[in-house]
Amino acid sequence: VRIHVPADSAAASVGADQVAARLAIEIERAGLDARIVRTGSRGLFWLEPMIEIETAAGPIAYGPVAPADIPGLLAAGLIDGGAHPLRLGPTAAIPYLARQERLTFARCGAIDPVSVDDYRARGGFKGLERALAMKPIEIVEEVTASGLRGRGGAGFPTGIKWRTVLGATADQKHIVCNADEGDSGTFADRMLMEGDPMLLIEGMAIAGLAVGATQGWIYIRSEYPRAVTTFTRAVEACRRAGILGAKVGGTGPAFDITVRMGAGAYVCGEETSLLESLEGKRALVRFKPPLPALKGLFGKPTVINNVLSFAAVPTILADGAKAYADYGMGRSRGTLPFQLAGNIKFGGLVEKAFGMTLGEAIHDFGGGTRSGRPVRAVQVGGPLGAYFPADHLDTPLDYEAFAARKGMLGHGGIVVFDDSVDMAEQARFAFEFCAKESCGKCTPCRIGSTRGRETIEKVIRGEAVERNLALVDDLCRTMTDASLCALGGLTPYPVLSAIEHFPEDFDRAPARVAAE
Ligand code: NAI
Ligand code: SF4
């Protein structure tokens, strides 16, 4: 019998490795016929370490398990799915999972991430097989028809990006995966690389076939050492199985993937800065145009997409564009893996079709705040995303609906704050973050972020509040209009939304400040 114990970083941070070690000792001591398989996580973080037993009726889950629980669990008949206070029942029936629409994360947590056989047994490589029988333009058209938009945050149609690269003539083209997942409250890329890396490998190989690129690269942030190890092992396993290498999938043209690690700069998630870093240079943002699609890595036409964009592609090819496009609303088609974080009771990964409201995500899935206090603010889309007040929780999770309320969906990270949050401090932090992470190439961001922080600090001290808030507003306009990239250009989102929706936190009249 197989016992699944996650090796995912989040599960490991609450003791999954110790659970696996103790389980191995106790299984041997009891002479049981059981094999421990280290998997990814299902993304139900409050239940980690969550272990699963494979039974004829499907996996049965137990959690959260501590090493000291293991003898008792085995005595209760764990390997037959026996009764125990920690038994959660059939994994698929846990409401948090049962109510999701998992396409990209269907396998995550259910397979050995570095086993080609496990991946194939659960439908893996079907998309690649179909792509191998198609012409490049047909693959591009299928991806376009699915309505897939870039999951990194900007939401640019993936099929159109690929078409630009396909149409470019060059002796070499590249596929680059942006795995520099830097947004606060996001972890979907990491979970996928640690739990189902072959899905990403398959997506990148299909992209290679679609545009005529033989070289793939992945840029993974150094804060994700487990993802680097697991992904590298998965690449090696795919090479041994003939999926990658001289003939992709055994019959196609050449395609292989090189793994590179970042060095801890948020701006490296910006695509041109990432390309500079991949080339071994200082990560200064490039001017656009030229677009990376025409002149990207080493000056060659390059498809650069986020982990989740590539990982959506195998499903689209395997099941057809229509099946994917049937999910979602408006121009946001398919599913998005949302990530619930911050002050939230049930934090984790929720993959759903676009269209669920922010409030449903936070209350129906997340169970409200962990502190039990009311939700006051929600930041969606990373540190550069807008803060929404509680009366915006009816906003559907959809690119356009968020934009209409001067927010952005970004990479799907949802960070919840209760009523103890100080929004003036959050606005100050946004400027400070920008000042720290700015690449320094353009003035509005390099200088503006520091001047902005100083001015908000004056507001917080109660100095000429009205005049200083007007200065912040003016500065934000300059940063929005004149910054070269999204880092400087989007910093005004958290700042201005905090001022607009929570004006009472900026009302630092000297008398009030003195009283505090
Ligand atoms: P963008 O709108 O300039 O470009 C989006 C993508 O489309 C880029 O890959 C660009 O090269 C491509 N593109 C645009 N026109 C094209 C054409 N005609 N043909 C082919 N390709 C074309 O946005 P940008 O600056 O790349 O990204 C900003 C976004 O990044 C923000 O909205 C934010 O949500 C997100 N972001 C994500 C983070 C993360 O950790 N995932 C961190 C910070 C920001
Ligand atoms: Fe660099 Fe900031 Fe300008 Fe972007 S906005 S190019 S990070 S200085």
Side-chain angles (χ1 to χ4, degrees):
V1 62
R2 277 169 63 137
I3 306 182
H4 289 176
V5 182
D8 172 275
S9 302
S13 73
V14 288
D17 292 346
Q18 289 79 355
V19 167
R22 181 74 185 265
L23 198 52
I25 292 168
E26 299 295 337
I27 285 172
E28 190 166 347
R29 185 174 293 159
L32 296 170
D33 183 19
R35 184 163 70 92
I36 297 172
V37 176
R38 301 303 302 271
T39 62
S41 168
R42 300 276 191 172
L44 284 59
F45 291 155
W46 74 100
L47 294 176
E48 293 290 3
M50 185 174 101
I51 67 174
E52 294 176 49
I53 316 304
E54 287 222 323
T55 70
I60 307 286
Y62 295 80
V65 176
D69 297 324
I70 307 280
L73 279 164
L74 289 174
L78 173 79
I79 64 168
D80 299 315
H84 187 277
L86 294 178
R87 190 180 190 273
L88 300 162
T91 312
I94 298 174
Y96 198 86
L97 272 177
R99 281 160 39 218
Q100 299 195 25
E101 289 152 318
R102 288 201 169 187
L103 302 180
T104 299
F105 279 82
R107 266 182 230 95
C108 191
I111 57 163
D112 176 347
V114 295
S115 161
V116 169
D117 291 343
D118 258 28
Y119 182 66
R120 212 190 280 279
R122 302 208 33 149
F125 299 124
K126 283 218 176 91
L128 179 62
E129 277 159 27
R130 184 161 168 242
L132 280 165
M134 292 162 81
K135 293 195 188 82
I137 186 66
E138 289 168 351
I139 304 174
V140 170
E141 275 166 7
E142 190 84 28
V143 172
T144 309
S146 75
L148 177 68
R149 293 166 70 181
R151 298 285 188 252
F156 187 82
T158 307
I160 294 180
K161 186 185 281 192
W162 289 18
R163 186 190 301 268
T164 311
V165 181
L166 173 63
T169 29
D171 54 351
Q172 177 71 57
K173 294 179 186 176
H174 297 281
I175 304 297
V176 175
C177 177
N178 184 343
D180 194 52
E181 186 176 45
D183 276 359
S184 42
T186 62
F187 43 79
D189 294 355
R190 179 190 60 67
M191 268 183 65
L192 193 102
M193 290 185 284
E194 294 179 2
D196 195 8
M198 288 182 194
L199 183 68
L200 175 54
I201 292 170
E202 184 179 354
M204 291 176 70
I206 294 170
L209 291 173
V211 304
T214 54
Q215 292 224 23
W217 306 76
I218 181 163
Y219 187 92
I220 309 179
R221 69 193 307 227
S222 58
E223 293 89 337
Y224 285 176
R226 281 190 187 228
V228 172
T229 308
T230 310
F231 190 83
T232 305
R233 285 179 59 205
V235 165
E236 285 161 0
C238 285
R239 278 188 200 133
R240 284 194 300 274
I243 307 287
L244 293 176
K247 286 196 179 300
V248 63
T251 56
F255 187 75
D256 209 342
I257 297 174
T258 304
V259 181
R260 287 275 185 273
M261 257 211 268
Y266 179 75
V267 78
C268 286
E270 196 284 331
E271 60 180 8
T272 62
S273 150
L274 185 152
L275 294 175
E276 288 287 297
S277 180
L278 257 188
E279 291 178 7
K281 301 180 199 143
R282 184 180 150 197
L284 276 177
V285 171
R286 294 178 185 169
F287 292 103
K288 287 196 279 193
L291 286 166
L294 296 172
K295 212 165 174 288
L297 188 63
F298 302 114
K300 303 293 182 186
T302 301
V303 165
I304 174 163
N305 276 131
N306 175 257
V307 171
L308 300 180
S309 312
F310 285 123
V313 168
T315 311
I316 292 167
L317 268 289
D319 301 340
K322 185 174 177 306
Y324 192 77
D326 279 348
Y327 291 93
M329 69 175 274
R331 289 182 51 230
S332 303
R333 308 312 312 177
T335 59
L336 183 66
F338 301 102
Q339 299 124 87
L340 288 172
N343 192 336
I344 188 101
K345 201 163 172 195
F346 303 128
L349 183 110
V350 177
E351 182 176 354
K352 272 294 255 185
F354 289 93
M356 166 174 69
T357 68
L358 185 55
E360 283 164 353
I362 292 170
H363 291 291
D364 297 357
F365 281 95
T369 61
R370 191 181 165 89
S371 62
R373 300 174 69 98
V375 173
R376 179 158 187 245
V378 186
Q379 189 179 34
V380 182
L384 312 177
Y387 288 100
F388 276 9
D391 68 7
H392 278 33
L393 292 189
D394 60 348
T395 316
L397 293 161
D398 158 79
Y399 293 114
E400 278 67 41
F402 264 68
R405 286 185 157 171
K406 291 188 274 180
M408 63 175 197
L409 204 48
H411 185 53
I414 299 175
V415 181
V416 180
F417 297 82
D418 73 10
D419 60 356
S420 63
V421 66
D422 175 350
M423 295 308 294
E425 170 53 28
Q426 295 304 116
R428 193 197 66 77
F429 171 71
F431 277 130
E432 180 182 87
F433 180 81
C434 180
K436 214 168 159 191
E437 300 292 345
S438 169
C439 86
K441 184 155 176 166
C442 67
T443 318
C445 169
R446 186 183 66 246
I447 310 281
S449 50
T450 298
R451 294 290 94 87
R453 194 199 68 215
E454 292 165 355
T455 315
I456 288 280
E457 282 169 355
K458 286 182 190 160
V459 171
I460 291 174
R461 290 199 299 269
E463 290 173 25
V465 173
E466 220 168 291
R467 186 165 62 85
N468 280 315
L469 282 179
L471 275 175
V472 167
D473 193 65
D474 189 43
L475 175 65
C476 282
R477 270 172 226 282
T478 308
M479 288 179 74
T480 302
D481 294 344
S483 293
L484 186 56
C485 85
L487 181 48
L490 297 180
T491 294
Y493 268 66
V495 175
L496 295 179
S497 57
I499 296 172
E500 181 185 344
H501 300 303
F502 308 92
E504 59 278 18
D505 286 20
F506 295 83
D507 174 22
R508 306 280 177 138
R512 216 190 108 197
V513 173
E516 277 173 6

